[in-house]
Amino acid sequence: MEYNFREIEKKWQKFWEENKTFEVEVDESKPKYYVLDMFPYPSGAGLHVGHPLGYIASDIYSRYKRLKGFNVLHPMGYDAFGLPAEQYAVKTGQHPAITTDNNIKRYKEQLEKIGFSYDWSRELRTCDPDYYKWTQWVFIEMFEHWYNNKNSKAEPINELIEIFEKEGNKSIDASCNEEMIFTADNWNAKTEKEQQKTLLNYRLAYLADTMVNWCPELGTVLANDEVKEGFSVRGNHPVIQKKMKQWSLRISAYAERLLNDLEKLEWTDSLKEIQRNWIGRSEGAEMIFKVKGQDLGMEIFTTRPDTSWGVTFMVLAPESDLVEKVTTSDYKKQVEDYVNETKKRSERERMADAKTVSGQFTGGYALNPLTNEEIPIYISDYVLMGYGTGAIMAVPGHDSRDFKFARYFELPIIQVVVKEGEEPTDPATWEDSYDSKEGRMANSGFINDLNVNEAIEKAINYIEEEGIGERKINYRLRDAIFSRQRYWGEPFPVYFKEGIPYTLSKENLPLELPEVDAYLPTEKGEPPLGRAINWKTEDGYPIELSTMPGFAGSSAYYLRYMDPKNNDTLVSKKVNEYWQDVDLYIGGTEHATGHLVYSRYWNKFLYDIGWVCKDEPFKKLINQGMIQGRSNFVYRIKGANEFVSYNLKKDYDVTPIHVDVNFVSNDILDTEAFKNWDPEYKEAKFILEDLPDGKAGGKYICGYAVEKMSKSLYNVVNPDDIIEQYGADTLRMYEMFLGPLEMSKPWDTNGIDGVFKFLRKFWKLFHDEQNNFNISDETPSEIELKVLHKTIKKIQEDIERFSFNTSISAFMICVNELTDLKCNKRKILEPLTILLSSFAPHITEELWQKCGNSESISCAKFPELDEKYLVESTYEYPVSFNGKMRFKIKLPIDIDAKEAENRVLTNEQAQKWLEGKTPRKVIFVPRKIINIVI
RNA sequence: GCCCAGGUGGUGGAAUUGGUAGACACGCUGGACUUAAAAUCCAGUGGCCAUUGUGGCCGUGCGGGUUCAAGUCCCGCCCUGGGUACCA
């Protein structure tokens, strides 16, 4: 029988489904292992060949762990809320639920063809009310907790209220929005409404006026990670800054833990680095500069309090509340004009303009608390409201932006740091500020002559002693904006009473997404939920109109997979204690600052309140590389319907045109398919390569380029087509064979034949020349056992370090060797089949069954490595002279250095290279090399 | 600007701890089988030079260095990809 992959793959996919082969339950008798893929957003385009790369890798690892005796949880689901389905709904009127459902069906069909070992009974989708009930539930929990900095932990808001009632808030160290000190009496005298307003400043999920990224085109606010260089990540629309009342999650409270706990994780250094930069910890001091003639302080943050003697002016962000207060009447008009101008400019414009200096003097002066000198206060858009305090002390001598500003407005520049061993120079002669991370202090009072690090310490201590300010650690990480003015997302379980938000009772969850007549804002400019009929509580209070963002549903999905059908809780304690956390998480690096930060935060919160037993969700994480497209080009002669082959194009004036890669194989164009592609090319003529005999009329060779895989570049390859032609086992192995998992690489179908040939060769080992199944029960020879055990060792090591491309070449070597040995012995082929089964599950199930096994091969045991078959009695040493390999010599494995030297030097070939000289030195490295120095 | 990866034949890549550079494939060339094609099988394939054969020199982005020995370690540069940014 020939290797009929179509029949075999269908048969075993059906078998796994019917026998629930991969469904798992809590089983205390076995160790657990949790392998997770980042679940996909089911887009309308379906999967291309790049998407399954990570899924294949995780599936190989899952199947391997199962063979090793682990109880493996390996689920799949869909991140189903999101913008594209909603935009499609706006265009066509089709309900996003229907679009999403169709897309999911297509995804699942495609995924099932690849033969993954998912436990499909645990499948979940974030748009399912039974699922988002728990997203809403966690939101309510966050609303009901505050962050206690003293314990570095989230605690119930009720306990906070008790403290307020007894002693006010003076002993509280909370992560909160700006808050005045109040006493117990103050608190108790507040009305319910006032108390609720105050509590909102403490809640981990809070409603507040915030500067937000507003995207007018999408009609919604976006989180920082959803904006890149002033444009929305989805759709690439301009984004502006705007103050709006929005829900936020107090993720900044967790900044320190999110940063420190990175050390515990087995993630790549580059990914940890991205998160470290995103969290952006900087150490320094917060200082207060008094405003001259007013009872008013300007709070600033600096990492360099040592340069305080070099401060010659102050700058406020135009959006700062202080602007109005410090501005004198003489400058009111100019300041207002400048503020209005900045407001009009988008973030993008401000950035593009980074080189032009702009700003405005306010007329106000501040007092430098260290020197008591008067310094002018300016406003400028190079100071951002969102970082630090929205105000800076400017040190033009040692900061390039301050330097440019000082030059422009002709403000004084003072040098306070001098490079070691140099003398101060006149700043008037400088072309730029002097980078001052190292050096010695000058012109700086009592810290003169100290080096920078000592000076920083001494300055901070002084500032604290004098009550000017305090040591402070600042984070770049902002609270996560949690409202979206969209339809297709989780509704907030929140209603408003006198404008104050209250959460629904948990018994009433899920709060289901209501029907609307259109997926657009209302005439009043409210979000689409403003169109919902009767969108209020039983008591008639209005319900929140925004919905939650995409990352809400993906923040705890890994927990829900553990216990997906539980109606009483997100995940039961017992189940959580068994599965614990994700042992291996595979997905793209694009989630580094979004999902991977949010879900760590979400998980830490659930850990604080005792719902989960691990404070980090993903122990080990691997980022698979992107599969890029490999586009092909034809070269059209300008003004003609004639195409010239790649190597001849230099003689013509041509335009390169993308051609569908499915008409091209090994860069050779199928000219007939090309003619039929588009009526425009029906009459196309071709100038072909020369044949070897010099005559024209050979092939049409296309050019190529590596680009993004995209429909518009005609370089999309659909896994369904590959499976139809070669089978899923070939697809799986070829995707792994392409190169290291983490590396980005172009998809090139050309090499796939090699893998396909390998599987057929493997199949042939089990069959005789007439294609009859034929294996022997003879005892294997030493050499056959050596081939097998060499392969067991290599495969095991490679899988453990996720080096799947090298495992595949090891399989190829093994099958080539067994073919040469004409080995068809059961004792060799059965263990080899198990080894291969995580990579190529269908063909191995089939052969396993033909060998007479009744159970699925996934229930087999991974073959034991026996080192005794690998023991060698000799080793072939490479012998090099002055580092250059010259010949090889076979020597006993246990030979000592002296004996080896003897044997080598007396060797005939060595004589030739010694040229009669005596070697100066002989280096003998056992089982490695012999090097002779002459 | 700053931070992180990476640069090896015609192509994808291998070399796990400093120890034989180019495993395994693709492609290409030649051959067998065939009326022919496909499939399959066999041989060759880093570059240059020499040759009846044995062979020699060069070679892992560039320039230096350490070492008996460097793709691998160190210093300086160039290039590609990714992250991030008026971050005080």
Side-chain angles (χ1 to χ4, degrees):
Chain A
M1 209 181 107
E2 279 286 335
Y3 168 42
N4 185 342
F5 58 85
R6 287 195 191 91
E7 217 167 85
I8 292 170
E9 290 180 359
K10 216 179 280 162
K11 167 179 163 187
W12 287 100
Q13 283 163 14
K14 194 164 157 233
F15 176 93
W16 297 327
E17 195 190 334
E18 281 172 359
N19 291 278
K20 305 185 162 123
T21 309
F22 301 109
E23 289 188 17
V24 284
E25 285 310 323
V26 169
D27 179 354
E28 300 288 351
S29 70
K30 280 191 197 166
K32 72 98 189 186
Y33 202 88
Y34 187 177
V35 181
L36 184 62
D37 294 304
M38 288 187 186
F39 64 170
Y41 175 80
S43 81
L47 292 173
H48 66 59
V49 100
H51 292 117
L53 182 77
Y55 305 156
I56 294 169
S58 67
D59 196 59
I60 290 169
Y61 203 76
S62 301
R63 287 175 179 268
Y64 166 75
K65 278 290 183 185
R66 207 180 305 263
L67 296 174
K68 281 282 193 180
F70 287 83
N71 192 25
V72 178
L73 176 57
H74 186 39
M76 180 45 91
Y78 304 94
D79 187 13
F81 274 134
L83 220 41
E86 179 163 344
Q87 282 170 326
Y88 189 71
V90 170
K91 245 195 294 180
T92 64
Q94 186 175 62
H95 197 289
I98 297 171
T99 315
T100 305
D101 197 54
N102 289 340
N103 293 348
I104 287 178
K105 274 197 192 111
R106 177 150 153 69
Y107 260 65
K108 188 162 178 178
E109 236 172 67
Q110 287 188 295
L111 288 172
E112 278 178 333
K113 278 192 203 163
I114 305 174
F116 293 123
S117 60
Y118 293 129
D119 177 352
W120 283 110
S121 73
R122 291 172 187 262
E123 176 189 322
L124 55 83
R125 42 188 86 180
T126 54
C127 63
D128 182 347
D130 285 340
Y131 176 83
Y132 69 66
K133 172 179 175 178
W134 301 106
T135 310
Q136 293 172 333
W137 187 291
V138 175
F139 174 83
I140 293 177
E141 288 290 341
M142 288 182 185
F143 186 81
E144 288 174 350
H145 284 81
W146 64 291
Y147 198 80
N148 187 345
N149 287 330
K150 282 185 191 157
N151 303 339
S152 295
K153 194 171 177 267
E155 292 180 356
I157 204 97
N158 287 335
E159 291 175 14
L160 186 68
I161 296 171
E162 278 174 35
I163 301 170
F164 286 171
E165 284 167 353
K166 280 188 205 127
E167 48 182 280
N169 71 348
K170 65 174 189 299
S171 66
I172 299 290
D173 180 6
S175 280
C176 68
N177 308 12
E178 210 179 328
E179 181 58 33
M180 299 297 206
I181 301 283
F182 54 80
T183 63
D185 290 342
N186 294 149
W187 172 261
N188 294 324
K190 284 183 195 230
T191 63
E192 148 93 20
K193 190 173 167 179
E194 284 165 348
Q195 287 184 342
Q196 287 299 326
K197 264 191 166 165
T198 301
L199 288 175
L200 217 40
N201 289 333
Y202 289 86
R203 299 181 188 278
L204 284 176
Y206 64 94
L207 187 66
D209 276 320
T210 349
M211 272 303 201
V212 296
N213 306 301
W214 173 258
C215 179
E217 195 71 28
L218 297 174
T220 185
V221 303
L222 297 168
N224 282 354
D225 65 283
E226 293 168 322
V227 181
K228 264 201 182 119
E229 292 174 352
F231 284 87
S232 64
V233 172
R234 277 209 185 271
N236 209 32
H237 305 296
V239 171
I240 58 166
Q241 298 295 302
K242 192 173 166 185
K243 204 163 218 177
M244 281 177 78
K245 193 159 228 149
Q246 297 291 306
W247 285 100
S248 292
L249 301 184
R250 207 177 296 282
I251 184 168
S252 62
Y254 284 82
E256 196 185 338
R257 280 165 68 188
L258 289 170
L259 184 70
N260 293 341
D261 290 348
L262 281 172
E263 276 173 39
K264 299 198 272 196
L265 303 175
E266 293 171 55
W267 294 13
T268 60
D269 289 337
S270 70
L271 189 70
K272 287 187 190 179
E273 201 57 31
I274 292 173
Q275 289 213 347
R276 274 189 206 111
N277 291 339
W278 185 256
I279 295 166
R281 180 183 196 271
S282 49
E283 237 173 279
E286 207 161 79
M287 288 161 72
I288 294 181
F289 282 58
K290 285 199 178 114
V291 178
K292 188 191 158 197
Q294 292 193 55
D295 184 19
L296 187 65
M298 282 172 67
E299 211 168 47
I300 60 104
F301 173 74
T302 178
T303 55
R304 297 297 303 275
D306 58 313
T307 61
S308 295
W309 281 264
V311 177
T312 55
F313 59 99
M314 310 278 296
V315 187
L316 283 173
E319 299 89 353
S320 170
D321 296 338
L322 286 171
V323 173
E324 212 180 310
K325 293 174 188 159
V326 301
T327 303
T328 61
S329 50
D330 300 352
Y331 287 90
K332 203 163 186 274
K333 171 103 187 24
Q334 290 99 306
V335 167
E336 269 172 14
D337 286 350
Y338 185 80
V339 169
N340 287 333
E341 222 172 281
T342 17
K343 247 187 218 160
K344 270 186 254 156
R345 301 167 77 203
S346 71
E347 187 85 337
R348 177 74 195 171
E349 283 170 318
R350 270 168 82 162
M351 275 195 232
D353 238 18
K355 274 151 228 127
T356 15
V357 178
S358 76
Q360 175 60 47
F361 180 44
T362 61
Y365 286 84
L367 294 172
N368 184 332
L370 282 111
T371 62
N372 267 324
E373 268 171 59
E374 273 181 27
I375 46 176
I377 303 169
Y378 281 73
I379 61 170
S380 174
D381 62 5
Y382 83 86
V383 175
L384 305 176
M385 199 54 223
Y387 184 76
T389 60
I392 60 156
M393 62 177 214
V395 185
H398 306 284
D399 180 286
S400 65
R401 292 152 305 167
D402 296 348
F403 183 86
K404 280 193 199 110
F405 196 85
R407 273 286 152 85
Y408 188 82
F409 287 98
E410 296 177 345
L411 293 158
I413 299 171
I414 304 172
Q415 181 172 21
V416 290
V417 184
V418 188
K419 209 185 252 170
E420 207 61 56
E422 284 180 13
E423 290 303 314
T425 54
D426 181 6
T429 63
W430 295 3
E431 273 175 28
D432 201 351
S433 61
Y434 164 54
D435 168 39
S436 58
K437 285 192 189 92
E438 281 164 12
R440 200 163 36 79
M441 304 309 297
N443 301 323
S444 292
F446 63 87
I447 58 169
N448 264 343
D449 292 328
L450 293 177
N451 76 38
V452 165
N453 289 333
E454 294 163 352
I456 292 175
E457 272 311 298
K458 199 160 177 187
I460 296 182
N461 289 340
Y462 178 79
I463 287 161
E464 288 198 317
E465 281 161 26
E466 296 294 311
I468 299 164
E470 58 187 357
R471 192 179 290 271
K472 170 105 193 221
I473 292 158
N474 214 9
Y475 294 95
R476 206 189 72 107
L477 184 70
R478 308 259 63 88
D479 284 346
I481 312 274
F482 204 58
S483 311
R484 297 292 180 274
Q485 289 66 36
R486 312 293 314 181
Y487 174 72
W488 192 232
E490 299 87 349
F492 281 82
V494 168
Y495 63 94
F496 292 89
K497 200 156 102 186
E498 292 182 63
I500 295 290
Y502 293 86
T503 51
L504 296 178
S505 134
K506 288 178 192 153
E507 287 71 57
N508 292 333
L509 297 182
L511 172 64
E512 288 200 33
L513 193 59
E515 294 301 319
V516 291
D517 58 351
Y519 308 99
L520 291 166
T522 64
E523 276 161 28
K524 283 188 280 175
E526 293 166 336
L529 291 192
R531 295 171 176 273
I533 295 161
N534 212 16
W535 190 236
K536 48 186 109 153
T537 63
E538 280 175 13
D539 304 326
Y541 295 116
I543 298 177
E544 168 71 50
L545 300 180
S546 301
T547 54
M548 298 185 193
F551 66 81
S554 57
S555 285
Y557 76 111
Y558 55 91
L559 292 169
R560 190 62 182 166
Y561 278 137
M562 296 175 184
D563 203 2
K565 307 247 156 63
N566 195 326
N567 273 326
D568 304 321
T569 175
L570 170 67
V571 51
S572 87
K573 262 217 151 84
K574 207 179 135 231
V575 170
N576 179 250
E577 262 158 28
Y578 180 75
W579 295 113
Q580 306 238 339
D581 52 4
V582 175
D583 294 279
L584 174 66
Y585 196 24
I586 296 189
T589 177
E590 67 271 17
H591 296 109
T593 54
H595 163 64
L596 287 173
V597 175
Y598 295 124
S599 54
R600 288 182 64 215
Y601 154 74
W602 206 276
N603 189 85
K604 282 182 186 302
F605 169 72
L606 293 176
Y607 174 78
D608 282 357
I609 66 173
W611 274 25
V612 301
C613 62
K614 287 275 183 175
D615 73 335
E616 281 290 339
F618 315 120
K619 207 185 285 171
K620 183 175 175 68
L621 184 138
I622 293 179
N623 292 121
Q624 87 275 16
M626 275 240 295
I627 293 215
Q628 297 146 309
R630 187 180 186 280
S631 314
N632 276 114
F633 297 94
V634 292
Y635 301 93
R636 181 183 202 153
I637 298 173
K638 280 189 182 155
N641 199 5
E642 196 165 4
F643 297 83
V644 55
S645 184
Y646 179 76
N647 295 309
L648 305 171
K649 74 176 201 302
K650 55 185 181 298
D651 301 330
Y652 301 86
D653 187 13
V654 295
T655 319
I657 296 173
H658 276 94
V659 59
D660 193 320
V661 292
N662 295 298
F663 306 152
V664 180
S665 103
N666 290 321
D667 291 333
I668 298 162
L669 179 70
D670 179 342
T671 51
E672 286 309 305
F674 177 71
K675 282 182 176 179
N676 292 329
W677 187 28
D678 190 305
E680 196 191 334
Y681 304 134
K682 191 83 209 158
E683 301 302 321
K685 291 198 176 72
F686 302 94
I687 299 176
L688 306 171
E689 300 288 325
D690 294 340
L691 289 166
D693 57 16
K695 286 186 206 143
K699 299 155 175 170
Y700 188 98
I701 303 206
C702 298
Y704 74 89
V706 174
E707 301 175 287
K708 211 181 131 217
M709 199 174 273
S710 149
K711 254 188 187 165
S712 63
L713 303 172
Y714 300 109
N715 59 11
V716 175
V717 180
N718 188 321
D720 300 0
D721 296 343
I722 300 286
I723 289 170
E724 178 53 31
Q725 203 182 342
Y726 297 98
D729 285 337
T730 299
L731 174 75
R732 290 168 63 108
M733 293 198 79
Y734 185 57
E735 293 228 2
M736 293 299 104
F737 190 53
L738 230 37
L741 184 56
E742 295 95 328
M743 211 189 267
S744 281
K745 55 232 156 189
W747 175 269
D748 182 353
T749 310
N750 291 342
I752 201 167
D753 276 335
V755 170
F756 188 54
K757 268 187 223 165
F758 158 77
L759 284 177
R760 274 189 302 186
K761 225 169 158 180
F762 175 69
W763 179 266
K764 276 193 191 148
L765 285 176
F766 295 77
H767 294 81
D768 63 19
E769 265 141 53
Q770 284 72 47
N771 269 319
N772 295 313
F773 186 79
N774 178 22
I775 59 167
S776 117
D777 284 316
E778 265 176 84
T779 310
S781 67
E782 284 289 312
I783 186 145
E784 288 166 336
L785 283 163
K786 190 172 154 189
V787 169
L788 173 67
H789 284 267
K790 194 176 74 183
T791 308
I792 294 174
K793 187 177 159 114
K794 176 79 178 148
I795 297 302
Q796 186 166 310
E797 282 171 2
D798 282 354
I799 295 180
E800 294 283 356
R801 64 190 177 104
F802 301 93
S803 177
F804 300 122
N805 54 330
T806 52
S807 333
I808 295 188
S809 83
F811 279 124
M812 287 174 170
I813 292 167
C814 175
V815 167
N816 288 345
E817 285 175 351
L818 292 179
T819 304
D820 290 345
L821 292 167
K822 298 195 169 42
C823 171
N824 70 337
K825 291 170 189 160
R826 177 188 297 275
K827 289 219 168 86
I828 299 296
L829 294 186
E830 277 196 350
L832 178 62
T833 306
I834 299 171
L835 280 187
L836 186 62
S837 68
S838 10
F839 293 81
H842 309 88
I843 188 174
T844 46
E845 284 277 21
E846 182 70 14
L847 291 169
W848 184 249
Q849 189 184 52
K850 285 187 161 193
C851 287
N853 298 289
S854 52
E855 240 185 340
S856 161
I857 194 166
S858 66
C859 306
K861 229 175 128 262
F862 196 84
E864 278 304 322
L865 169 64
D866 194 336
E867 299 267 2
K868 83 172 179 230
Y869 297 113
L870 302 179
V871 175
E872 306 262 3
S873 59
T874 60
Y875 179 76
E876 195 175 33
Y877 279 94
V879 180
S880 55
F881 288 77
N882 289 340
K884 271 190 186 129
M885 209 282 283
R886 295 302 183 184
F887 64 90
K888 289 178 188 174
I889 182 169
K890 222 174 223 176
L891 295 174
I893 198 89
D894 306 320
I895 196 165
D896 62 20
K898 210 164 180 189
E899 175 63 14
E901 192 178 325
N902 255 331
R903 295 272 294 267
V904 167
L905 291 178
T906 53
N907 181 285
E908 206 180 301
Q909 292 192 75
Q911 295 305 318
K912 175 182 159 193
W913 289 100
L914 281 169
E915 293 167 335
K917 290 176 215 151
T918 318
R920 288 197 312 188
K921 204 170 174 186
V922 176
I923 284 133
F924 172 77
V925 186
R927 302 211 68 178
K928 282 269 160 69
I929 201 165
I930 297 163
N931 190 19
I932 296 163
V933 188
I934 35 176

